[in-house]
Amino acid sequence: MNLILLGAPGAGKGTQGNFLVRDFGLKKISTGDIFREILKDESHPLYNDVKVIKEGKLVTDETVNSVVRYAVETSENKNFIFDGYPRTLAQADALDKIMSDNGMKIDYVVELSVTKEVLMYRLLGRRTCRSCKSIFHVSNGHETCPECGGELYTRDDDNEETVQARFEEYNTKTLPLIEHYKNKDVKYIKYVVDNKDLQPAEIHQKLIVELK
Ligand SMILES: [Zn+2]
């Protein structure tokens, strides 16, 4: 099965994606992770396209699509979960082509729809460990990192303005993808996260029911 996980940054895609990888044996395609891997390897065929990231620049859409194509075509596991890609209709078209060129298709689109209130609560309360990068919510009351004792801090981009901007970008650029896939033979599953106390494991249990 091939699945796309959609959701605004902070909706919990990473956590849910890891659960689905574990339960369904999927290969996760996350462009951020792949970029980091490529940057470690100067002999990688896409290194020169991706290295602009080191200068703080954004890679082109074309490069993002090439990176995904490369990851799909070189993976032995051909059951994919796409996390954070596609983000735009143009990328969705590119992914459709990558899949059909390889005799595959997208079977599910899973949207983790999170209310702005829950998103703000989660991200503005997020504390990151300077040493081990673990993430905790301020409501847990930790003074220092419970994993390693490191200092907990608030990331610069976990502020109201940035969260608002990312939420709006998701709504304008990524939400139209749902219509795109509804017009194809794809099962669309939406899960609304409107309760800040809801645990990731509970969401996962509900998702599994929908996927079976
Ligand atoms: Zn730590």
Side-chain angles (χ1 to χ4, degrees):
M1 99 165 130
N2 295 300
L3 182 155
I4 294 172
L5 201 49
L6 292 183
K13 290 196 302 297
T15 307
Q16 293 305 323
N18 290 339
F19 283 145
L20 295 173
V21 163
R22 181 195 67 194
D23 289 354
F24 295 95
L26 306 173
K27 164 78 178 171
K28 188 172 181 181
I29 303 282
S30 154
T31 51
D33 291 347
I34 302 171
F35 288 148
R36 277 187 285 277
E37 280 303 307
I38 293 175
L39 288 174
K40 285 185 212 158
D41 175 12
E42 289 189 26
S43 67
H44 193 285
L46 292 167
Y47 180 83
N48 283 323
D49 298 306
V50 172
K51 71 178 179 192
V52 294
I53 293 177
K54 286 189 172 174
E55 298 153 26
K57 294 182 191 149
L58 290 175
V59 294
T60 61
D61 242 21
E62 202 183 352
T63 297
V64 179
N65 297 330
S66 301
V67 159
V68 171
R69 178 180 285 275
Y70 183 87
V72 165
E73 293 181 350
T74 56
S75 173
E76 281 182 24
N77 182 347
K78 297 293 186 192
N79 291 292
F80 297 104
I81 178 166
F82 296 91
D83 172 3
Y85 176 93
R87 268 180 219 270
T88 61
L89 276 176
Q91 289 182 353
D93 285 332
L95 180 59
D96 289 343
K97 179 85 168 57
I98 292 168
M99 297 303 277
S100 65
D101 285 350
N102 288 279
M104 295 185 284
K105 66 180 279 292
I106 298 297
D107 303 299
Y108 295 97
V109 169
V110 176
E111 185 193 5
L112 289 177
S113 174
V114 63
T115 62
K116 198 164 87 181
E117 289 66 33
V118 171
L119 206 58
M120 287 286 176
Y121 173 83
R122 282 191 184 171
L123 295 181
L124 302 186
R126 190 156 77 168
R127 300 292 178 267
T128 306
C129 171
R130 241 181 244 290
S131 307
C132 72
K133 314 291 178 213
S134 295
I135 292 169
F136 305 92
H137 195 268
V138 68
S139 63
N140 294 334
H142 301 303
E143 302 264 325
T144 54
C145 174
E147 304 287 339
C148 77
E151 183 196 350
L152 296 179
Y153 75 110
T154 304
R155 279 170 31 170
D156 284 346
D157 52 356
D158 287 342
N159 67 69
E160 195 165 345
E161 212 171 300
T162 307
V163 173
Q164 173 75 28
R166 281 187 286 179
F167 186 69
E168 279 169 18
E169 181 175 330
Y170 173 77
N171 287 341
T172 53
K173 290 194 179 161
T174 309
L175 276 188
L177 264 62
I178 291 163
E179 279 309 307
H180 170 90
Y181 286 110
K182 274 185 182 168
N183 294 326
K184 298 178 182 282
D185 182 22
V186 174
K187 186 174 180 195
Y188 167 59
I189 297 165
K190 179 177 181 172
Y191 192 75
V192 181
V193 185
D194 56 4
N195 171 357
K196 65 183 173 62
D197 297 319
L198 200 62
Q199 295 302 308
E202 296 170 45
I203 298 171
H204 177 59
Q205 287 310 318
K206 292 184 182 177
L207 265 183
I208 281 189
V209 174
E210 302 264 9
L211 285 169
K212 278 178 179 166

